[in-house]
Amino acid sequence: MEPGADQLVSRSADGFTVGTPTAVVLDGRDAVLAVAMNGEPLPLTHGFPVRMLVPGLYGYVSATKWLVDLELTSFGDFDPYLDPYWVRRGWARQTPVKTMSRIDTPRLLARRPAGRVAVAGVAWAQHRGIRRVEVRADGGPLAAGAAGRRAQPRHLAPVGLALGGHPGRHTLEVRATDGTGATQPEDRAPPFPDGATGWHSVVVSVT
Ligand SMILES: Nc1nc2c(c(=O)[nH]1)N[C@H]1C(S)=C(S)[C@@H](COP(=O)(O)O)O[C@H]1N2
Ligand SMILES: [Mo]
């Protein structure tokens, strides 16, 4: 890579601008300029006639729709007027998608008899893979839900969790550990400035 060419700036017909790390675009992942989806021309709302798509990065640093221009620049060339749309508004410049896990079943406020409940969902950590997923009930011990390493989103095998014997509301939580061994932090952060953190939880009703 040329020195000073570490940022690929893309511009859109709607005035939107994006800065993407050049090294990420070139690291072998399936970064594309997309002109079609599901065998049909790109729908207008998704960027017709051409858009960028870089797996593993949040959309605001990678997914320019209605693309009109690409330019190699440098992250060092800070310019408050020329900087990418969301970077000018305080969002981070480089944002890999954070490791995520989610409980899909049971649903929020689902009713379950006391005893063991099957918990299932999905976890993902693009290009790092998921090493481990754990769930727990009411702050109790964590139970492993999936093992091994895979780049694709991993569906959690149903985990049998013992729910407290008393009727009422109980909280289920999930967390994932990625292929580098990093576990999702329990601390909640809002999406601004570089992506949300925290463990997904679902409140269920034991009858
Ligand atoms: N031109 C343009 N491209 C854009 C945006 C935009 O506002 N304008 N939003 C970005 C963001 S933040 C996301 S998450 C994705 C959403 O793409 P989708 O509508 O195809 O899901 O588009 C990205 N590309
Ligand atoms: Mo986004």
Side-chain angles (χ1 to χ4, degrees), residues 23-196:
V24 170
V25 174
L26 298 178
D27 74 359
R29 70 185 67 195
D30 293 329
V32 296
L33 295 178
V35 295
M37 184 165 76
N38 299 332
E40 303 195 351
L42 214 51
L44 191 55
T45 51
H46 293 300
F48 177 90
V50 57
R51 75 174 294 170
M52 270 179 58
L53 209 59
V54 183
L57 298 181
Y58 290 122
Y60 83 95
V61 289
S62 70
T64 314
K65 302 190 275 189
W66 316 290
L67 181 70
V68 292
D69 185 58
L70 284 171
E71 185 182 346
L72 275 173
T73 65
S74 169
F75 281 109
D77 300 338
F78 176 78
D79 182 324
Y81 297 102
L82 296 179
D83 256 6
Y85 184 90
W86 286 113
V87 171
R88 257 181 276 160
R89 289 156 177 81
W91 290 73
R93 287 173 178 276
Q94 306 200 28
T95 52
V97 175
K98 292 180 179 174
T99 300
M100 284 294 194
S101 56
R102 189 184 70 208
I103 296 170
D104 290 326
T105 182
R107 294 267 179 219
L108 179 64
L109 297 181
R111 299 164 79 83
R112 289 288 185 278
R116 290 182 80 73
V117 60
V119 181
V122 64
W124 62 94
Q126 272 168 314
H127 305 105
R128 298 182 299 279
I130 293 292
R131 178 177 298 174
R132 186 167 64 246
V133 182
E134 296 156 299
V135 293
R136 69 179 186 182
D138 298 325
L142 287 152
R149 188 174 178 170
R150 245 173 48 176
Q152 294 302 312
R154 170 174 289 280
H155 291 272
L156 311 188
V159 182
L161 264 189
L163 275 180
H166 60 97
R169 291 185 175 180
H170 294 264
T171 302
L172 304 172
E173 288 172 297
V174 63
R175 72 175 196 186
T177 298
D178 74 12
T180 73
T183 299
Q184 281 183 263
E186 183 173 10
D187 284 347
R188 288 186 175 214
F192 182 87
D194 65 357

